């Protein structure tokens, strides 16, 4: 029987950890990407453009961002100058908010059909952190984060959750601004300099660096050199293919 897992050296001097939700805690990034693909492709087809790439385009333009910011940024990257519209716009292609609403509609349908699970390596890390009494927070631009964490059965492993609902209530700017992470660290009662951020989105890694966090861990589940290099360029101190790699003794 192997030794009990312990934390990697890069985490041992820190006092708290803040985790991104989609792609780090939950296997939900693929669901978000598929929903964005369905919402964007209707606009792109009408303009005679190539489809949305659920890997490269998702990572570059929408991963980690609020729905409005993600929709606006990607559409602008393709030269599609849609009016902003209003948050009450119904799902469609006429405005940025309509495209965002269509993404939300598709995301909900996909979740109902597929469900959601937590990444096992991250769950192992969370249990070790809990055993060491290192408080953890979950952060997400999505308003679904709290319910998804509960559905995956890991909501009890966090002392704080700062999601899209809290961001809206507190008027917190989205990533790459560090406000979401800073608010999470504040709720944990630990300074940013003594807190680690674990994030898979380029905008989120940049937010961790801008916020002065003691350690920024980039998660590249593609295990490719391009993704790892991009995470480092945006400010990751360490890049792993799974947060479970932040455990030692061969059980992470």
């Amino acid at each position: 029987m192997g030794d009990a897992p312990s934390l990697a050296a890069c985490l041992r001097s820190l006092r708290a950890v803040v985790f991104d939700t989609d792609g780090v805690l939950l296997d939900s990034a693929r669901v978000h990407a598929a929903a964005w693909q369905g919402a964007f492709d209707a606009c792109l087809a009408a303009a005679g453009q190539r489809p949305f790439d659920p890997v490269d385009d998702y990572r570059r333009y929408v991963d980690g961002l609020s729905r409005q910011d993600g929709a606006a940024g990607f559409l602008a990257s393709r030269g599609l100058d849609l009016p902003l519209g209003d948050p009450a716009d119904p799902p469609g292609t006429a405005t940025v908010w309509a495209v965002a609403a269509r993404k939300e509609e598709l995301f909900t349908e996909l979740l109902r059909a597929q469900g959601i699970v937590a990444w096992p390596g991250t769950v192992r890390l969370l249990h070790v952190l809990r055993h060491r009494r290192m408080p953890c927070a979950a952060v997400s631009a999505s308003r679904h984060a709290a319910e998804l964490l509960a559905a995956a059965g890991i909501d009890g492993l966090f002392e704080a959750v700062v999601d899209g609902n809290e961001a809206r209530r507190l008027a917190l700017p989205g990533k790459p601004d560090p406000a979401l992470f800073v608010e999470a660290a504040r709720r944990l009662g630990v300074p940013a300099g003594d807190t680690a951020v674990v994030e898979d989105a380029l905008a989120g890694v940049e937010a961790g660096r801008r916020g002065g966090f003691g350690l920024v861990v980039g998660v590249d589940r593609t295990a490719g050199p391009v993704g790892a290099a991009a995470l480092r360029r945006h400010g990751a101190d360490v890049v792993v293919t799974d947060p479970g790699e932040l455990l030692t003794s061969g059980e992470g």
Side-chain angles (χ1 to χ4, degrees):
M1 188 171 180
D3 295 334
S6 59
L7 297 178
C10 60
L11 283 176
R12 291 175 196 161
S13 64
L14 300 173
R15 296 168 48 203
V17 184
V18 175
F19 292 85
D20 174 57
T21 300
D22 296 305
V24 174
L25 294 170
L26 303 177
D27 186 11
S28 49
R30 60 184 174 78
V31 186
H32 281 290
W36 277 121
Q37 184 175 20
F40 284 136
D41 279 358
C43 300
L44 297 171
Q49 293 201 22
R50 70 184 186 278
F52 176 81
D53 187 312
V55 177
D56 292 338
D57 286 336
Y58 175 76
R59 186 180 184 88
R60 182 175 298 182
Y61 296 109
V62 299
D63 189 15
L65 303 182
S66 68
R67 281 185 294 128
Q68 179 195 346
D69 289 345
F74 174 73
L75 292 169
S77 78
R78 293 291 189 93
L80 298 179
D81 188 21
L82 271 62
L84 178 61
D86 185 88
D89 287 351
T93 60
T95 68
V96 171
W97 273 110
V99 173
R102 177 57 176 154
K103 183 267 175 179
E104 177 76 356
E105 184 176 66
L106 290 170
F107 182 73
T108 301
E109 292 173 2
L110 289 167
L111 275 183
R112 190 177 301 120
Q114 301 178 14
I116 207 75
V117 295
W119 288 101
T122 311
V123 174
R124 289 196 295 274
L125 174 60
L126 285 166
H127 281 291
V128 172
L129 291 167
R130 192 167 188 81
H131 179 72
R132 291 178 62 94
R133 301 185 184 279
M134 286 180 66
C136 296
V139 164
S140 176
S142 171
R143 287 183 283 180
H144 294 283
E147 63 185 277
L148 293 180
L149 292 169
I154 61 171
D155 53 316
L157 297 174
F158 301 97
E159 281 72 22
V161 176
V162 181
D163 63 3
N165 295 305
E166 285 296 276
R168 183 176 182 181
R169 183 179 70 85
L170 298 172
L172 300 175
K175 305 168 189 176
D177 190 286
L180 291 170
F181 289 142
V182 171
E183 174 63 16
R186 186 192 69 77
R187 294 185 185 193
L188 296 178
V190 179
D194 294 325
T195 302
V197 164
V198 185
E199 175 60 92
D200 69 323
L202 299 179
V205 166
E206 184 175 338
R209 176 56 56 229
R210 288 189 188 183
F213 284 82
L215 177 71
V216 180
V217 179
V219 179
D220 176 26
R221 295 196 185 275
T222 69
V226 175
L231 288 166
R232 290 191 178 93
R233 283 197 305 272
H234 281 75
D237 299 302
V238 176
V239 176
V240 296
T241 59
D242 183 274
E245 294 171 27
L246 297 171
L247 295 173
T248 62
S249 299
E251 297 194 19

